[in-house]
Amino acid sequence: MATRDEILAQVNIVDVIGETVALEKRGKNHTGLCPFHDEKTPSFSVSEDKQLYHCFGCKASGNAITFLKETRGISGSEALKLLAERAGLEYQVKERPHQRLLDALKAAKDVYHVLLTNSKKGEPALEYLNTRKIDEKTIHAFDLGIALKGRDHLLNALVQKSFLLSELSDAGLVTGEAKPTDFFAGRLMIPIKDIHGMVRGFSGRLLGDGDPKYLNSAENVVFAKNELLYGLYEAKPAIQKANRVLITEGYFDVLRAHQMGFSETVGLMGTTLSRSHIQSLSRLTQRFYLVLDGDQAGRAAAEKMLPVLSGLDVHMVELPEGADLDSYLLEAGPQGLERALKNAKDPTAFIFESLKATYDLSKIGEFERFKKSFYPVLKKESLTVQSFYLKTLSEATGIGIAVLTQDFNGLKKPTPSVVPHATPVMDKYKKAEIQILHYFLYQEFYSRWFRREFQDIMYINPMVRDIQFEIFEHYDLNPVSCLVYPLFKASLSPAQQQFLDENIDMDHYPFNADEFDDLLNVLKKFTLKEKMTRLKTALLEAQSLDEKVQLREQMDALKKELTHGI
């Protein structure tokens, strides 16, 4: 059976991508319109030499495997199988862990969906969906279904398909041992899929009266709410195309948004936004719109999410009091939501307005509590933004701007445990080490490029070496997630965090592929020079003639590489 590297060696990424994208040869590379976002000027580049692609617009990058995964919504193993067939090689797709549970969940989804769409027994659920104004296209797109009333309808259907009772129980589809019962009996079924379209669990909506209104799959080895977002599989192409994601709360919020043209919408399923959610979404876009319910609970939930969104382009969308996205779209239509998106606030403005609505600023005690909540947020902003809000507060409270400014400036920023020292003047090699770290933190594409070019490398600064190791380890351990810089930095040691604070500026660094290529050459030259220095030292210490001859041969090879190879 062929290995991954053997398969990749036998296919040409230009041919693979050329079946989907019209490519034109320009210099060493091929360019075309990016398949992952809308554009009129080609920014999508495919390197035949490196067998990699990269979009300088939306930052999508990868190899032939990644391209098939992203464009076809399949797993890496499935992509490898397609490439192997293309190359005439044999490759066996490895069975996923807990595959039988995933198979049972998919089979259950199919049973539920057929009962809803092709059975008289599904009519009550279809009537309910009709009252909620959910159309047939949306029903099929999201594989909605119905679990019939009764103890064992699904159980019998899946046992006939050779699933074991223990597998159905582990998948959360049946409950009870003595008398096993369909867990979701009598409910409208909403499948919850991962980013690859695999069914991981369900939410069942009660059609009649009673509690609970929604019943979710229990957390198990294949279902964890803090790792899944409702509608992400269906939304993925639209998120990349629109370069934004709308994050809302409920299942019907997502269904309504997709039905009315906002297919870049995902739902949180009753949980807060987790780091796992951020990592999944950040691979697709850096623009996040929080569209939560227009009540105090919704505003409080949005505020709790802001810390984990630090460093991203975040917009807070406010809905009218008491409205959710579903009801708002039904009342205001797509145009209304577009207006709300255009009027979205940045996090500081959102927190300011929310706190103003919470506290009576005319009362000194409440104003002091307002300050304790808002001033630390304002401290992170520029002087211009600080001046704007202090002036606004002065107008709202009647307190003089000079007094408020003095009061605000009295709140000191936390002093770091180690006082930063003046950055020394660095030679070009030290500078290159720092500069190239920016690229590794920016895109995994650059780390793959670097690792392809270097078998070994010598470092001037061991701190750079250690941080680079952490970056590469992150990419190795999280193959389907990007690196979110603020979250990654928080996982490092205090000394490493301080080093990044003093040397890294991700917001303003002028990323450019040509510069990265130049930096590689600078570091190659330094490594070769260091090797030459060590060989010279070894030559002086060598005792035997044979050893000296071998060292001389190595030095000659290095000289040629230094002269012609860079």
Side-chain angles (χ1 to χ4, degrees):
M1 186 174 75
T3 66
R4 175 183 181 276
D5 289 342
E6 288 171 344
I7 294 169
L8 287 176
Q10 294 299 313
V11 296
N12 188 335
I13 193 171
V14 174
D15 296 334
V16 174
I17 294 178
E19 293 177 355
T20 305
V21 179
L23 296 174
E24 180 181 343
K25 188 102 178 342
R26 290 187 181 176
K28 290 194 301 181
N29 297 332
H30 293 72
T31 62
L33 295 174
C34 179
F36 302 111
H37 77 288
D38 271 346
E39 62 177 8
K40 295 181 179 178
T41 303
S43 62
F44 185 74
S45 176
V46 183
S47 170
E48 190 166 9
D49 291 342
K50 297 181 174 67
Q51 290 293 298
L52 296 170
Y53 68 85
H54 181 69
C55 176
F56 293 94
C58 70
K59 312 307 178 191
S61 62
N63 58 15
I65 300 169
T66 317
F67 185 82
L68 291 180
K69 281 172 59 180
E70 299 296 334
T71 55
R72 302 196 185 188
I74 57 178
S75 69
S77 293
E78 291 165 334
L80 269 171
K81 184 171 176 60
L82 289 176
L83 293 173
E85 291 171 354
R86 181 189 190 98
L89 300 172
E90 184 180 345
Y91 179 78
Q92 184 67 41
V93 176
K94 293 180 182 178
E95 190 171 271
R96 292 183 179 90
H98 315 297
Q99 185 64 48
R100 287 289 293 173
L101 304 189
L102 296 172
D103 290 343
L105 290 164
K106 180 183 182 300
K109 180 263 293 181
D110 293 340
V111 170
Y112 294 145
H113 186 62
V114 169
L115 285 170
L116 177 68
T117 56
N118 292 289
S119 164
K120 283 190 175 182
K121 294 178 180 179
E123 289 178 358
L126 285 175
E127 289 175 9
Y128 172 77
L129 290 169
N130 186 51
T131 64
R132 296 293 299 261
K133 296 183 170 57
I134 300 299
D135 62 26
E136 186 178 348
K137 181 180 177 182
T138 303
I139 290 171
H140 286 291
F142 286 83
D143 290 311
L144 302 183
I146 184 172
L148 298 182
K149 291 181 180 179
R151 188 175 67 82
D152 55 6
H153 184 277
L154 179 73
L155 173 62
N156 291 335
L158 295 192
V159 166
Q160 289 178 15
K161 293 178 181 289
S162 302
F163 289 102
L164 302 176
L165 177 60
S166 60
E167 292 170 338
L168 302 182
S169 178
D170 290 344
L173 295 169
V174 301
T175 183
E177 294 182 7
K179 288 187 177 181
T181 304
D182 293 352
F183 185 69
F184 292 103
R187 292 175 179 270
L188 173 73
M189 296 305 293
I190 303 169
I192 299 163
K193 305 170 188 174
D194 63 21
I195 195 169
H196 302 297
M198 297 294 296
V199 179
R200 295 284 179 164
F202 293 92
S203 183
R205 209 280 185 195
L206 198 63
L207 291 173
D209 296 329
D211 287 312
K213 184 185 294 184
Y214 283 94
L215 183 63
N216 289 329
S217 293
E219 299 261 328
N220 56 40
V221 292
V222 296
F223 181 74
K225 284 201 293 185
N226 68 349
E227 296 177 359
L228 298 165
L229 289 160
Y230 181 60
L232 179 56
Y233 172 68
E234 292 81 5
K236 181 180 171 182
I239 292 171
Q240 292 176 309
K241 186 175 181 180
N243 190 25
R244 70 180 184 187
V245 60
L246 277 54
I247 301 169
T248 187
E249 294 185 76
Y251 301 103
F252 278 85
D253 294 332
V254 175
L255 295 173
R256 177 76 55 222
H258 279 248
Q259 187 169 300
M260 299 189 79
F262 296 90
S263 299
E264 66 273 29
T265 305
V266 299
L268 287 169
M269 302 189 298
T271 185
T272 190
L273 202 60
S274 70
R275 291 188 176 189
S276 179
H277 294 148
I278 297 295
Q279 288 178 335
S280 295
L281 292 172
S282 295
R283 294 185 68 242
L284 308 176
T285 184
Q286 298 289 307
R287 294 170 64 209
F288 289 63
Y289 286 77
L290 296 185
V291 193
L292 304 183
D293 292 354
D295 54 23
Q296 186 57 39
R299 288 187 286 272
E303 286 183 41
K304 285 181 181 178
M305 295 177 197
L306 291 177
V308 79
L309 288 164
S310 175
L312 297 168
D313 183 11
V314 182
H315 307 262
M316 317 297 289
V317 181
E318 292 188 286
L319 299 179
E321 187 69 32
D324 57 23
L325 183 55
D326 179 24
S327 62
Y328 182 71
L329 277 168
L330 284 172
E331 182 177 340
Q335 300 84 358
L337 181 56
E338 283 291 3
R339 285 194 299 271
L341 293 171
K342 287 180 182 177
N343 294 328
K345 293 185 171 77
D346 64 78
T348 300
F350 176 82
I351 292 173
F352 179 76
E353 294 297 336
S354 180
L355 291 173
K356 261 183 69 179
T358 303
Y359 297 105
D360 183 351
L361 301 189
S362 66
K363 297 178 180 178
I364 189 63
E366 294 203 28
F367 181 59
E368 288 297 319
R369 288 195 289 276
F370 169 90
K371 283 166 36 184
K372 285 182 181 178
S373 297
F374 184 62
Y375 276 11
V377 175
L378 191 58
K379 271 292 177 186
K380 300 174 184 176
E381 298 290 353
S382 67
L383 292 175
T384 303
V385 173
Q386 290 175 5
S387 177
F388 171 82
Y389 281 105
L390 291 173
K391 182 181 178 184
T392 304
L393 272 178
S394 176
E395 294 169 352
T397 61
I399 301 172
I401 183 71
V403 174
L404 285 175
T405 302
Q406 185 177 359
D407 190 30
F408 175 74
N409 290 334
L411 181 70
K412 296 181 180 177
K413 292 183 180 179
T415 22
S417 54
V418 181
V419 179
H421 53 75
T423 305
V425 177
M426 298 185 291
D427 62 29
K428 68 177 181 178
Y429 301 127
K430 290 180 180 178
K431 186 177 179 182
E433 283 188 346
I434 300 294
Q435 288 174 308
I436 207 163
L437 265 188
H438 285 82
Y439 286 89
F440 300 148
L441 290 163
Y442 181 53
Q443 282 281 320
E444 185 187 3
F445 165 77
Y446 291 108
S447 74
R448 288 198 302 270
W449 185 349
F450 177 88
R451 291 162 97 171
R452 188 183 289 262
E453 295 285 336
F454 279 98
Q455 295 301 315
D456 58 358
I457 182 173
M458 294 179 179
Y459 295 87
I460 302 170
N461 191 332
M463 183 68 79
V464 173
R465 177 200 62 206
D466 294 345
I467 292 174
Q468 181 178 309
F469 175 82
E470 295 288 348
I471 295 170
F472 290 175
E473 185 177 60
H474 173 90
Y475 288 131
D476 290 341
L477 295 177
N478 300 278
V480 297
S481 300
C482 76
L483 185 150
V484 181
Y485 178 61
L487 302 183
F488 172 77
K489 190 173 80 170
S491 71
L492 301 179
S493 70
Q496 290 170 331
Q497 291 184 37
Q498 183 185 341
F499 180 85
L500 293 179
D501 287 339
E502 293 174 4
N503 295 284
I504 300 297
D505 184 5
M506 295 299 291
D507 293 332
H508 303 101
Y509 194 87
F511 295 99
N512 182 284
D514 290 337
E515 185 199 46
F516 183 80
D517 204 13
D518 292 339
L519 292 172
L520 287 179
N521 289 331
V522 170
L523 293 178
K524 282 180 186 176
K525 190 171 184 179
F526 170 74
T527 297
L528 292 173
K529 283 187 172 184
E530 281 296 296
K531 286 182 178 179
M532 181 67 78
T533 300
R534 294 183 186 188
L535 286 173
K536 288 178 180 177
T537 302
L539 183 63
L540 292 174
E541 297 172 353
Q543 300 296 320
S544 69
L545 181 60
D546 287 344
E547 189 179 358
K548 289 181 179 180
V549 169
Q550 289 178 0
L551 290 169
R552 280 288 183 189
E553 289 174 350
Q554 292 177 44
M555 290 171 66
D556 289 341
L558 279 180
K559 284 179 183 176
K560 289 180 181 177
E561 199 169 348
L562 276 167
T563 306
H564 305 292
I566 302 296

